[in-house]
Amino acid sequence: MNLGLVFQSGDYVLISVFVLLVLMSIVTWTVIIIRAIRLSQAKSGNRTVKPLIWNAKTLEEAVQKAKSVDAPMSALTLEAVRAHQNYNKHKDTQIAAAVPLNEYLVRQIRNSMSQILRRFDGGLTALASIGATAPFIGLFGTVWGIYHALINISQSGQMSIAAVAGPIGEALVATAAGLFVAIPAVLAYNFLVRGNKTLAQDMDAFAHDFHVQLLNNKD
């Protein structure tokens, strides 16, 4: 398999297909590396800060512990405490706070958690699109390459196996390249979606428990 020969003998369409697949592969691995690192850091931060928050003796101490660790649970804790303080401060002056504390906290915590988890969705659309389209782009390159290989063979009048197998074999590389790009994108997409789902489940369980803690806070 000589990719150099493809670029030397292929026309602009086949070359464009390979260039596009190379760019898609670069995007795929960039997203995989960045998102995998961020997801790992988020889960590690949650494991660190969660016991610190629950072992705090007061709400103020829990806030200080949350500020010391960069984690989604830290951000959710700070937002929930801020909402609790805002309710107590403005419950008689703001229409947004003119609801029971329980409903107000549920709404604010849900909105905060949605904003936090949305940060981990970046790049998933690109991975899904690449995984779905890369094989077809590669197949298009193969069809185009075979078509032009057969045209060139018919014009030259050489019908030997060597004359047919060489150009067609190089054209089939486009399909292999498309699969090479698509398979990591699909696997990474499934891995990251699963990771985001488990992160959301952990956040939801923590938010429920911390919501109850705020309702029973006596500070």
Side-chain angles (χ1 to χ4, degrees):
M1 183 183 298
N2 189 352
L3 294 179
L5 183 59
V6 175
F7 286 92
Q8 291 175 4
S9 60
D11 62 356
Y12 69 94
V13 175
L14 189 58
I15 294 176
S16 298
V17 167
F18 275 95
V19 171
L20 180 58
L21 289 176
V22 169
L23 293 177
M24 294 172 74
S25 180
I26 293 174
V27 171
T28 296
W29 286 104
T30 301
V31 172
I32 290 174
I33 293 173
I34 294 176
R35 290 302 167 188
I37 291 175
R38 289 197 61 184
L39 184 61
S40 177
Q41 290 176 340
K43 291 187 175 183
S44 176
N46 283 348
R47 288 193 297 268
T48 300
V49 77
K50 186 176 180 180
L52 296 179
I53 293 175
W54 291 128
N55 291 333
K57 297 181 180 180
T58 64
L59 194 59
E60 288 74 14
E61 183 181 350
V63 170
Q64 295 302 319
K65 296 293 184 181
K67 290 181 178 179
S68 65
V69 180
D70 184 14
M73 285 185 183
S74 298
L76 183 62
T77 299
L78 297 178
E79 291 295 331
V81 171
R82 188 177 297 112
H84 184 265
Q85 294 173 343
N86 183 72
Y87 181 89
N88 291 329
K89 184 177 181 180
H90 302 289
K91 60 182 179 181
D92 297 326
T93 59
Q94 291 184 357
I95 189 173
V99 294
L101 176 60
N102 178 44
E103 296 181 10
Y104 180 82
L105 288 178
V106 168
R107 182 180 63 193
Q108 296 299 320
I109 292 175
R110 184 189 299 115
N111 291 339
S112 298
M113 188 164 63
S114 298
Q115 294 296 325
I116 293 171
L117 293 177
R118 191 175 299 171
R119 306 170 189 169
F120 298 90
D121 290 337
L124 293 181
T125 301
L127 289 180
S129 300
I130 291 173
T133 59
F136 296 102
I137 294 175
L139 182 60
F140 170 75
T142 294
V143 173
W144 185 269
I146 291 176
Y147 168 74
H148 277 271
L150 294 176
I151 291 296
N152 294 333
I153 291 171
S154 65
Q155 291 176 351
S156 64
Q158 298 178 359
M159 297 301 295
S160 64
I161 296 298
V164 175
I168 292 180
E170 296 297 339
L172 290 174
V173 175
T175 299
L179 294 175
F180 179 79
V181 174
I183 291 174
V186 173
L187 293 177
Y189 175 82
N190 292 334
F191 170 79
L192 292 175
V193 168
R194 174 60 181 171
N196 288 352
K197 183 178 180 180
T198 57
L199 177 63
Q201 291 173 344
D202 293 341
M203 293 286 290
D204 186 70
F206 175 80
H208 179 271
D209 294 341
F210 197 72
H211 167 251
V212 174
Q213 186 68 33
L214 287 177
L215 289 178
N216 292 276
N217 180 62
K218 302 302 182 181
D219 294 344

